[in-house]
Amino acid sequence: MSSEEAVPRRRRRNPRGQGQVLKTELVEAAARLLATLERPETLTLRQVAREVGVAPASIYGHFPDLGALVQHVLRLRYDELAAVMRTAADGTEGPLADLAARCAAYVHWGVDHPGPYRTLFGGGMPDELVPTNAHGAGEELLGSVVASLAGAQQDGPEHRDHRGPEQEWQAGLLLWTALHGLVALYNAHGNMPWPDLTDLIAQTLALHTGRPVAELVELARTADRPA
Amino acid sequence: MSSEEAVPRRRRRNPRGQGQVLKTELVEAAARLLATLERPETLTLRQVAREVGVAPASIYGHFPDLGALVQHVLRLRYDELAAVMRTAADGTEGPLADLAARCAAYVHWGVDHPGPYRTLFGGGMPDELVPTNAHGAGEELLGSVVASLAGAQQDGPEHRDHRGPEQEWQAGLLLWTALHGLVALYNAHGNMPWPDLTDLIAQTLALHTGRPVAELVELARTADRPA
DNA sequence: TGTACATCAGTGAACGCGCGTTCACTGATGTAC
DNA sequence: TGTACATCAGTGAACGCGCGTTCACTGATGTAC
């Protein structure tokens, strides 16, 4: 920690056509800092510049301000989360397995990326920067949970009376809030003695689907280590 | 909004024995700002001083730094929440009603006080300032939920096989995470079209207790407007 | 009853810091003639 | 083949700001003699 940041590592100016490389370096640096910082919402423009080894003013050539850069990074992270959930569900058999895979992926991504998760869903950032608020993109994510859950419940043993899309949406929303609460508290209070995370996911899914816990523990576990 | 903050409202110096009145004014001002600010974690010492109409240096006579002041306020808010839940449960009949009252009180307090709620449970503040982390005081709150839930389940119709305190604690934890997720997302995404909050609480409780929704809607509603 | 003194409650100016943003600039690289 | 020029990619110094914290101070009020 002594001379690590002392010399601000000289960087070569990029050659002519390569103006984009600094842009991606900025994005990567901001992403790294958002993931690393204890309080990602305190990220500053000058921190990003230092991390890349560039003058603060150089950022303005690529982004109008720090907000735009953060927004860009959050959009990437959000897309990443959506993709992780999608591929987790790929190749599962039946709606219950699909649901379990998606939800396990969501929670694990959340606890593996506490910084980005907090900036995305924690409400710490100005509303307009966050993709889940900005263009209703959060509803895409929510939509997939709603759909999977509805499928898993129809598939269930107790074929409840027909429910409208209204009820399905509410059920999905409730499941999402439960998963969010799990991730948020787990990340915020890591010093507490937490039970096994996969058990908690399975338990939550059992409650929301009405299926036996054991079955969901099984599904959630296989979702953890994909074949 | 024009000349509102322009004149920094002169205040009379307190007389001799009354050194405490500024202290309480500071606490009230900090509480007001923490409740009001869009991002309560950005509160500054000078903001508090301005709000009271006092020199920034004057705060040091009462608190070693802003952190201590915030910690003090958060402790008060936490105690307030605990008290609200306790009195909500007072006079209820049976563990299920007790549980419903406590949980409804928790959620409503959370959405009525988004600023304090976020600073208490949102993970935005440095860990050591937050009572839920600082002295394990959060477990007091969690403990009451665990106990009520265990009571409500034993009381339930389907008398499941005996569960250890381990399972009871996990069940309570899971309920807490669900409630927290509800409050957190409700506050963070107020622009979304949310279903009726009491319905969501009742729905959540129904899932976690295994009791019919209708019964819990009833209990949650009466908990909203205490007799 | 008067006066010197201590204490209390808070002031006001100053400090050094990191911040976002601006501005004129630099120096390498490609292009036109 | 050489040279003037445009452009690109980024620099470096400066600005004004709000911040936390310090320090010597002030002025009213109580207390001792």
Side-chain angles (χ1 to χ4, degrees), chain B:
Chain B
M1 298 260 173
S2 52
S3 64
E4 192 176 13
E5 208 67 66
V7 177
R9 59 181 173 111
R10 265 273 148 270
R11 63 188 301 284
R12 293 200 58 71
R13 197 181 288 233
N14 289 309
R16 274 288 291 259
Q18 312 292 15
Q20 300 308 311
V21 327
L22 175 54
K23 179 163 189 174
T24 69
E25 280 186 275
L26 289 171
V27 170
E28 286 166 7
R32 203 157 46 238
L33 290 170
L34 282 177
T36 304
L37 285 176
E38 197 181 350
R39 305 178 58 186
E41 54 275 349
T42 64
L43 180 70
T44 68
L45 185 140
R46 289 180 110 106
Q47 279 178 52
V48 177
R50 273 195 302 270
E51 175 82 7
V52 177
V54 97
S58 308
I59 293 182
Y60 292 98
H62 298 279
F63 295 96
D65 57 12
L66 178 67
L69 173 52
V70 167
Q71 185 170 15
H72 186 89
V73 172
L74 290 186
R75 180 77 222 180
L76 291 179
R77 287 291 86 75
Y78 176 80
D79 290 343
E80 179 185 307
L81 170 57
V84 161
M85 289 175 69
R86 220 179 298 117
T87 65
D90 264 13
T92 55
E93 295 170 10
L96 192 66
D98 180 290
L99 181 69
R102 289 193 128 87
C103 293
Y106 179 91
V107 172
H108 282 109
W109 189 89
V111 303
D112 288 344
H113 305 82
Y117 187 88
R118 225 160 83 70
T119 43
L120 269 177
F121 299 108
M125 287 286 169
D127 255 28
E128 66 276 11
L129 297 188
V130 181
T132 47
N133 281 16
H135 357 78
E139 311 204 4
E140 171 201 330
L141 190 151
L142 177 52
S144 77
V145 171
V146 169
S148 303
L149 179 59
Q153 284 178 326
Q154 273 185 352
D155 202 46
E158 32 194 316
H159 272 265
R160 338 181 162 217
D161 14 25
H162 187 62
R163 347 162 113 232
E166 193 78 3
Q167 280 83 0
E168 286 183 354
W169 187 72
Q170 183 165 328
L173 182 62
L174 222 51
L175 175 52
W176 182 36
T177 60
L179 296 175
H180 170 67
L182 183 54
V183 174
L185 285 182
Y186 190 93
N187 286 343
H189 301 265
N191 45 356
M192 263 179 52
W194 280 86
D196 179 66
L197 199 54
T198 305
D199 282 350
L200 291 176
I201 298 168
Q203 185 78 45
T204 301
L205 289 171
L207 290 176
H208 285 256
T209 59
R211 309 295 293 265
V213 191
E215 183 179 2
L216 281 153
V217 169
E218 189 61 31
L219 287 173
R221 277 208 200 292
T222 55
D224 283 358
R225 5 184 178 73

Side-chain angles (χ1 to χ4, degrees), chain A residues 48-72:
Chain A
V48 177
R50 274 195 301 271
E51 175 83 8
V52 177
V54 99
S58 307
I59 294 181
Y60 292 97
H62 298 277
F63 295 96
D65 55 14
L66 178 65
L69 173 51
V70 168
Q71 185 171 16
H72 186 90

